[in-house]
Amino acid sequence: MTSDAGSSAGTAREPQHAVALGIDIGGSGIKGAPVDLTSGAFAAERRRIPTPHRSTPRAVADVLAELVDSFDLPGDAPVGVAFPAPMDHGVVRFIANLDKSWKGVDLPALVHDATGREVTAVNDADAAGVGEQRFGAARGRDGVVLMVTLGTGIGSALLVDGVLVPNTELGHLEIDGHDAEHRAAESARERHDLSWEKWAERLQRYFETVEMLLSPELIVVGGGVSKQHEKFLPLLDLRAPIIPATLRNKAGIVGAAALAADPRVH
């Protein structure tokens, strides 16, 4: 019935399902689309429903059931949910962007009860990383792959030979006495009105620290600012190649769907 995504993101396996539904839960909107698991493309147009004002588990589960029912899905199509919090075998460890009553909730069980579908739940940054590794900028790349999303905070996903190491939360590394995302997130650039060059100096310090700790063979940078990657990525000097994400805001949906259908998750 339930699982989380702590075990899986391989590249060379044929999916058990042709299609899975990916859902990305955010503080303002809940987005979903069925994903063709061969190509990573949406099999139908993405739909978005505003996140309930009181975003309790029950209210959000009702929205997810509405999303599932709105698509013409195969009867056995599983559901993958990207959620804005660390997950412990599907259980929400703590929550910042939704109702506080989410803490301790078994998300796959909740959504299974609402939809009758097999459900996998994963942290949203992890889902985006899996999406990029399976079908995006890091497709076909083995070894240690790190994806970092730059936005209001810094999200991270770490994959080793295609297998997800969940809940890394590398945006909260303490670097030079500061929580990294307070100085290096895209929101910090905007808040302090930093030039691209000044922001790149902060990113350099962040990425060189992460590189020292993890020795990634590839770094993928996502988040909305990745559309302007040519303004800051060339300013960074790292051992590993650092490249922009390609799936962008589709990555969470695609990654969640891919994990839902991965045989090693169940």
mmCIF file with all atom_site columns, all heavy atoms in Angstrom, residues 92-107:
data_model
loop_
_atom_site.group_PDB
_atom_site.id
_atom_site.type_symbol
_atom_site.label_atom_id
_atom_site.label_alt_id
_atom_site.label_comp_id
_atom_site.label_asym_id
_atom_site.label_entity_id
_atom_site.label_seq_id
_atom_site.pdbx_PDB_ins_code
_atom_site.Cartn_x
_atom_site.Cartn_y
_atom_site.Cartn_z
_atom_site.occupancy
_atom_site.B_iso_or_equiv
_atom_site.pdbx_formal_charge
_atom_site.auth_seq_id
_atom_site.auth_comp_id
_atom_site.auth_asym_id
_atom_site.auth_atom_id
_atom_site.pdbx_PDB_model_num
ATOM 1   N N   . VAL A 1 92  ? 5.876  12.320 7.731  1.00 0.00 ? 92  VAL A N   1
ATOM 2   C CA  . VAL A 1 92  ? 6.373  13.696 7.729  1.00 0.00 ? 92  VAL A CA  1
ATOM 3   C C   . VAL A 1 92  ? 7.096  13.968 9.047  1.00 0.00 ? 92  VAL A C   1
ATOM 4   O O   . VAL A 1 92  ? 6.514  13.851 10.122 1.00 0.00 ? 92  VAL A O   1
ATOM 5   C CB  . VAL A 1 92  ? 5.210  14.684 7.542  1.00 0.00 ? 92  VAL A CB  1
ATOM 6   C CG1 . VAL A 1 92  ? 5.725  16.124 7.551  1.00 0.00 ? 92  VAL A CG1 1
ATOM 7   C CG2 . VAL A 1 92  ? 4.458  14.391 6.242  1.00 0.00 ? 92  VAL A CG2 1
ATOM 8   N N   . ARG A 1 93  ? 8.374  14.328 8.951  1.00 0.00 ? 93  ARG A N   1
ATOM 9   C CA  . ARG A 1 93  ? 9.178  14.537 10.159 1.00 0.00 ? 93  ARG A CA  1
ATOM 10  C C   . ARG A 1 93  ? 8.892  15.890 10.801 1.00 0.00 ? 93  ARG A C   1
ATOM 11  O O   . ARG A 1 93  ? 8.765  16.002 12.019 1.00 0.00 ? 93  ARG A O   1
ATOM 12  C CB  . ARG A 1 93  ? 10.659 14.408 9.814  1.00 0.00 ? 93  ARG A CB  1
ATOM 13  C CG  . ARG A 1 93  ? 11.070 12.963 9.624  1.00 0.00 ? 93  ARG A CG  1
ATOM 14  C CD  . ARG A 1 93  ? 12.445 12.776 9.036  1.00 0.00 ? 93  ARG A CD  1
ATOM 15  N NE  . ARG A 1 93  ? 13.440 13.721 9.509  1.00 0.00 ? 93  ARG A NE  1
ATOM 16  C CZ  . ARG A 1 93  ? 14.662 13.832 8.980  1.00 0.00 ? 93  ARG A CZ  1
ATOM 17  N NH1 . ARG A 1 93  ? 15.013 13.063 7.981  1.00 0.00 ? 93  ARG A NH1 1
ATOM 18  N NH2 . ARG A 1 93  ? 15.520 14.702 9.458  1.00 0.00 ? 93  ARG A NH2 1
ATOM 19  N N   . PHE A 1 94  ? 8.884  16.936 10.003 1.00 0.00 ? 94  PHE A N   1
ATOM 20  C CA  . PHE A 1 94  ? 8.468  18.250 10.485 1.00 0.00 ? 94  PHE A CA  1
ATOM 21  C C   . PHE A 1 94  ? 8.000  19.044 9.287  1.00 0.00 ? 94  PHE A C   1
ATOM 22  O O   . PHE A 1 94  ? 8.221  18.651 8.145  1.00 0.00 ? 94  PHE A O   1
ATOM 23  C CB  . PHE A 1 94  ? 9.595  18.972 11.240 1.00 0.00 ? 94  PHE A CB  1
ATOM 24  C CG  . PHE A 1 94  ? 10.834 19.228 10.432 1.00 0.00 ? 94  PHE A CG  1
ATOM 25  C CD1 . PHE A 1 94  ? 10.947 20.335 9.605  1.00 0.00 ? 94  PHE A CD1 1
ATOM 26  C CD2 . PHE A 1 94  ? 11.911 18.356 10.502 1.00 0.00 ? 94  PHE A CD2 1
ATOM 27  C CE1 . PHE A 1 94  ? 12.085 20.573 8.863  1.00 0.00 ? 94  PHE A CE1 1
ATOM 28  C CE2 . PHE A 1 94  ? 13.065 18.582 9.762  1.00 0.00 ? 94  PHE A CE2 1
ATOM 29  C CZ  . PHE A 1 94  ? 13.153 19.695 8.940  1.00 0.00 ? 94  PHE A CZ  1
ATOM 30  N N   . ILE A 1 95  ? 7.338  20.160 9.514  1.00 0.00 ? 95  ILE A N   1
ATOM 31  C CA  . ILE A 1 95  ? 6.691  20.881 8.428  1.00 0.00 ? 95  ILE A CA  1
ATOM 32  C C   . ILE A 1 95  ? 6.852  22.381 8.629  1.00 0.00 ? 95  ILE A C   1
ATOM 33  O O   . ILE A 1 95  ? 6.790  22.867 9.756  1.00 0.00 ? 95  ILE A O   1
ATOM 34  C CB  . ILE A 1 95  ? 5.189  20.498 8.344  1.00 0.00 ? 95  ILE A CB  1
ATOM 35  C CG1 . ILE A 1 95  ? 4.545  21.049 7.064  1.00 0.00 ? 95  ILE A CG1 1
ATOM 36  C CG2 . ILE A 1 95  ? 4.431  20.917 9.585  1.00 0.00 ? 95  ILE A CG2 1
ATOM 37  C CD1 . ILE A 1 95  ? 5.008  20.352 5.806  1.00 0.00 ? 95  ILE A CD1 1
ATOM 38  N N   . ALA A 1 96  ? 7.105  23.093 7.527  1.00 0.00 ? 96  ALA A N   1
ATOM 39  C CA  . ALA A 1 96  ? 7.264  24.549 7.608  1.00 0.00 ? 96  ALA A CA  1
ATOM 40  C C   . ALA A 1 96  ? 6.223  25.286 6.774  1.00 0.00 ? 96  ALA A C   1
ATOM 41  O O   . ALA A 1 96  ? 5.726  26.328 7.191  1.00 0.00 ? 96  ALA A O   1
ATOM 42  C CB  . ALA A 1 96  ? 8.668  24.941 7.143  1.00 0.00 ? 96  ALA A CB  1
ATOM 43  N N   . ASN A 1 97  ? 5.861  24.753 5.609  1.00 0.00 ? 97  ASN A N   1
ATOM 44  C CA  . ASN A 1 97  ? 5.056  25.516 4.658  1.00 0.00 ? 97  ASN A CA  1
ATOM 45  C C   . ASN A 1 97  ? 3.589  25.118 4.600  1.00 0.00 ? 97  ASN A C   1
ATOM 46  O O   . ASN A 1 97  ? 2.832  25.705 3.832  1.00 0.00 ? 97  ASN A O   1
ATOM 47  C CB  . ASN A 1 97  ? 5.658  25.376 3.253  1.00 0.00 ? 97  ASN A CB  1
ATOM 48  C CG  . ASN A 1 97  ? 7.051  25.953 3.175  1.00 0.00 ? 97  ASN A CG  1
ATOM 49  O OD1 . ASN A 1 97  ? 7.354  26.950 3.822  1.00 0.00 ? 97  ASN A OD1 1
ATOM 50  N ND2 . ASN A 1 97  ? 7.913  25.318 2.400  1.00 0.00 ? 97  ASN A ND2 1
ATOM 51  N N   . LEU A 1 98  ? 3.182  24.135 5.397  1.00 0.00 ? 98  LEU A N   1
ATOM 52  C CA  . LEU A 1 98  ? 1.782  23.729 5.457  1.00 0.00 ? 98  LEU A CA  1
ATOM 53  C C   . LEU A 1 98  ? 1.339  23.698 6.917  1.00 0.00 ? 98  LEU A C   1
ATOM 54  O O   . LEU A 1 98  ? 2.112  24.014 7.824  1.00 0.00 ? 98  LEU A O   1
ATOM 55  C CB  . LEU A 1 98  ? 1.594  22.352 4.804  1.00 0.00 ? 98  LEU A CB  1
ATOM 56  C CG  . LEU A 1 98  ? 1.908  22.243 3.307  1.00 0.00 ? 98  LEU A CG  1
ATOM 57  C CD1 . LEU A 1 98  ? 1.831  20.789 2.856  1.00 0.00 ? 98  LEU A CD1 1
ATOM 58  C CD2 . LEU A 1 98  ? 0.973  23.109 2.480  1.00 0.00 ? 98  LEU A CD2 1
ATOM 59  N N   . ASP A 1 99  ? 0.092  23.295 7.150  1.00 0.00 ? 99  ASP A N   1
ATOM 60  C CA  . ASP A 1 99  ? -0.453 23.256 8.503  1.00 0.00 ? 99  ASP A CA  1
ATOM 61  C C   . ASP A 1 99  ? 0.411  22.383 9.417  1.00 0.00 ? 99  ASP A C   1
ATOM 62  O O   . ASP A 1 99  ? 0.888  21.311 9.016  1.00 0.00 ? 99  ASP A O   1
ATOM 63  C CB  . ASP A 1 99  ? -1.885 22.695 8.443  1.00 0.00 ? 99  ASP A CB  1
ATOM 64  C CG  . ASP A 1 99  ? -2.637 22.903 9.742  1.00 0.00 ? 99  ASP A CG  1
ATOM 65  O OD1 . ASP A 1 99  ? -3.250 23.962 9.902  1.00 0.00 ? 99  ASP A OD1 1
ATOM 66  O OD2 . ASP A 1 99  ? -2.589 21.980 10.589 1.00 0.00 ? 99  ASP A OD2 1
ATOM 67  N N   . LYS A 1 100 ? 0.596  22.837 10.645 1.00 0.00 ? 100 LYS A N   1
ATOM 68  C CA  . LYS A 1 100 ? 1.482  22.135 11.583 1.00 0.00 ? 100 LYS A CA  1
ATOM 69  C C   . LYS A 1 100 ? 0.987  20.738 11.924 1.00 0.00 ? 100 LYS A C   1
ATOM 70  O O   . LYS A 1 100 ? 1.757  19.900 12.412 1.00 0.00 ? 100 LYS A O   1
ATOM 71  C CB  . LYS A 1 100 ? 1.645  22.953 12.865 1.00 0.00 ? 100 LYS A CB  1
ATOM 72  C CG  . LYS A 1 100 ? 2.241  24.340 12.650 1.00 0.00 ? 100 LYS A CG  1
ATOM 73  C CD  . LYS A 1 100 ? 3.577  24.289 11.935 1.00 0.00 ? 100 LYS A CD  1
ATOM 74  C CE  . LYS A 1 100 ? 4.158  25.684 11.727 1.00 0.00 ? 100 LYS A CE  1
ATOM 75  N NZ  . LYS A 1 100 ? 5.371  25.662 10.879 1.00 0.00 ? 100 LYS A NZ  1
ATOM 76  N N   . SER A 1 101 ? -0.288 20.449 11.677 1.00 0.00 ? 101 SER A N   1
ATOM 77  C CA  . SER A 1 101 ? -0.840 19.127 11.987 1.00 0.00 ? 101 SER A CA  1
ATOM 78  C C   . SER A 1 101 ? -0.278 18.032 11.079 1.00 0.00 ? 101 SER A C   1
ATOM 79  O O   . SER A 1 101 ? -0.544 16.851 11.312 1.00 0.00 ? 101 SER A O   1
ATOM 80  C CB  . SER A 1 101 ? -2.364 19.149 11.884 1.00 0.00 ? 101 SER A CB  1
ATOM 81  O OG  . SER A 1 101 ? -2.794 19.498 10.580 1.00 0.00 ? 101 SER A OG  1
ATOM 82  N N   . TRP A 1 102 ? 0.535  18.401 10.089 1.00 0.00 ? 102 TRP A N   1
ATOM 83  C CA  . TRP A 1 102 ? 1.160  17.395 9.225  1.00 0.00 ? 102 TRP A CA  1
ATOM 84  C C   . TRP A 1 102 ? 2.237  16.594 9.946  1.00 0.00 ? 102 TRP A C   1
ATOM 85  O O   . TRP A 1 102 ? 2.549  15.473 9.537  1.00 0.00 ? 102 TRP A O   1
ATOM 86  C CB  . TRP A 1 102 ? 1.779  18.066 7.998  1.00 0.00 ? 102 TRP A CB  1
ATOM 87  C CG  . TRP A 1 102 ? 0.807  18.271 6.892  1.00 0.00 ? 102 TRP A CG  1
ATOM 88  C CD1 . TRP A 1 102 ? 0.137  19.413 6.578  1.00 0.00 ? 102 TRP A CD1 1
ATOM 89  C CD2 . TRP A 1 102 ? 0.391  17.296 5.936  1.00 0.00 ? 102 TRP A CD2 1
ATOM 90  N NE1 . TRP A 1 102 ? -0.676 19.216 5.486  1.00 0.00 ? 102 TRP A NE1 1
ATOM 91  C CE2 . TRP A 1 102 ? -0.536 17.933 5.071  1.00 0.00 ? 102 TRP A CE2 1
ATOM 92  C CE3 . TRP A 1 102 ? 0.701  15.964 5.708  1.00 0.00 ? 102 TRP A CE3 1
ATOM 93  C CZ2 . TRP A 1 102 ? -1.141 17.257 4.004  1.00 0.00 ? 102 TRP A CZ2 1
ATOM 94  C CZ3 . TRP A 1 102 ? 0.107  15.298 4.663  1.00 0.00 ? 102 TRP A CZ3 1
ATOM 95  C CH2 . TRP A 1 102 ? -0.815 15.939 3.819  1.00 0.00 ? 102 TRP A CH2 1
ATOM 96  N N   . LYS A 1 103 ? 2.820  17.128 10.979 1.00 0.00 ? 103 LYS A N   1
ATOM 97  C CA  . LYS A 1 103 ? 3.922  16.425 11.638 1.00 0.00 ? 103 LYS A CA  1
ATOM 98  C C   . LYS A 1 103 ? 3.459  15.054 12.128 1.00 0.00 ? 103 LYS A C   1
ATOM 99  O O   . LYS A 1 103 ? 2.456  14.932 12.827 1.00 0.00 ? 103 LYS A O   1
ATOM 100 C CB  . LYS A 1 103 ? 4.452  17.242 12.820 1.00 0.00 ? 103 LYS A CB  1
ATOM 101 C CG  . LYS A 1 103 ? 5.653  16.596 13.496 1.00 0.00 ? 103 LYS A CG  1
ATOM 102 C CD  . LYS A 1 103 ? 6.198  17.467 14.617 1.00 0.00 ? 103 LYS A CD  1
ATOM 103 C CE  . LYS A 1 103 ? 7.398  16.794 15.284 1.00 0.00 ? 103 LYS A CE  1
ATOM 104 N NZ  . LYS A 1 103 ? 7.959  17.605 16.389 1.00 0.00 ? 103 LYS A NZ  1
ATOM 105 N N   . GLY A 1 104 ? 4.191  14.019 11.731 1.00 0.00 ? 104 GLY A N   1
ATOM 106 C CA  . GLY A 1 104 ? 3.868  12.660 12.149 1.00 0.00 ? 104 GLY A CA  1
ATOM 107 C C   . GLY A 1 104 ? 2.883  11.935 11.261 1.00 0.00 ? 104 GLY A C   1
ATOM 108 O O   . GLY A 1 104 ? 2.576  10.758 11.505 1.00 0.00 ? 104 GLY A O   1
ATOM 109 N N   . VAL A 1 105 ? 2.384  12.582 10.209 1.00 0.00 ? 105 VAL A N   1
ATOM 110 C CA  . VAL A 1 105 ? 1.395  11.955 9.334  1.00 0.00 ? 105 VAL A CA  1
ATOM 111 C C   . VAL A 1 105 ? 2.078  10.986 8.371  1.00 0.00 ? 105 VAL A C   1
ATOM 112 O O   . VAL A 1 105 ? 3.117  11.291 7.788  1.00 0.00 ? 105 VAL A O   1
ATOM 113 C CB  . VAL A 1 105 ? 0.618  13.032 8.543  1.00 0.00 ? 105 VAL A CB  1
ATOM 114 C CG1 . VAL A 1 105 ? -0.217 12.398 7.425  1.00 0.00 ? 105 VAL A CG1 1
ATOM 115 C CG2 . VAL A 1 105 ? -0.270 13.830 9.489  1.00 0.00 ? 105 VAL A CG2 1
ATOM 116 N N   . ASP A 1 106 ? 1.491  9.806  8.206  1.00 0.00 ? 106 ASP A N   1
ATOM 117 C CA  . ASP A 1 106 ? 1.931  8.829  7.206  1.00 0.00 ? 106 ASP A CA  1
ATOM 118 C C   . ASP A 1 106 ? 1.281  9.231  5.886  1.00 0.00 ? 106 ASP A C   1
ATOM 119 O O   . ASP A 1 106 ? 0.117  8.916  5.623  1.00 0.00 ? 106 ASP A O   1
ATOM 120 C CB  . ASP A 1 106 ? 1.493  7.426  7.636  1.00 0.00 ? 106 ASP A CB  1
ATOM 121 C CG  . ASP A 1 106 ? 2.005  6.331  6.704  1.00 0.00 ? 106 ASP A CG  1
ATOM 122 O OD1 . ASP A 1 106 ? 2.158  6.600  5.498  1.00 0.00 ? 106 ASP A OD1 1
ATOM 123 O OD2 . ASP A 1 106 ? 2.238  5.206  7.190  1.00 0.00 ? 106 ASP A OD2 1
ATOM 124 N N   . LEU A 1 107 ? 2.035  9.942  5.063  1.00 0.00 ? 107 LEU A N   1
ATOM 125 C CA  . LEU A 1 107 ? 1.469  10.515 3.849  1.00 0.00 ? 107 LEU A CA  1
ATOM 126 C C   . LEU A 1 107 ? 1.003  9.468  2.847  1.00 0.00 ? 107 LEU A C   1
ATOM 127 O O   . LEU A 1 107 ? -0.103 9.578  2.305  1.00 0.00 ? 107 LEU A O   1
ATOM 128 C CB  . LEU A 1 107 ? 2.485  11.483 3.225  1.00 0.00 ? 107 LEU A CB  1
ATOM 129 C CG  . LEU A 1 107 ? 2.084  12.192 1.942  1.00 0.00 ? 107 LEU A CG  1
ATOM 130 C CD1 . LEU A 1 107 ? 0.754  12.913 2.092  1.00 0.00 ? 107 LEU A CD1 1
ATOM 131 C CD2 . LEU A 1 107 ? 3.178  13.161 1.520  1.00 0.00 ? 107 LEU A CD2 1
#
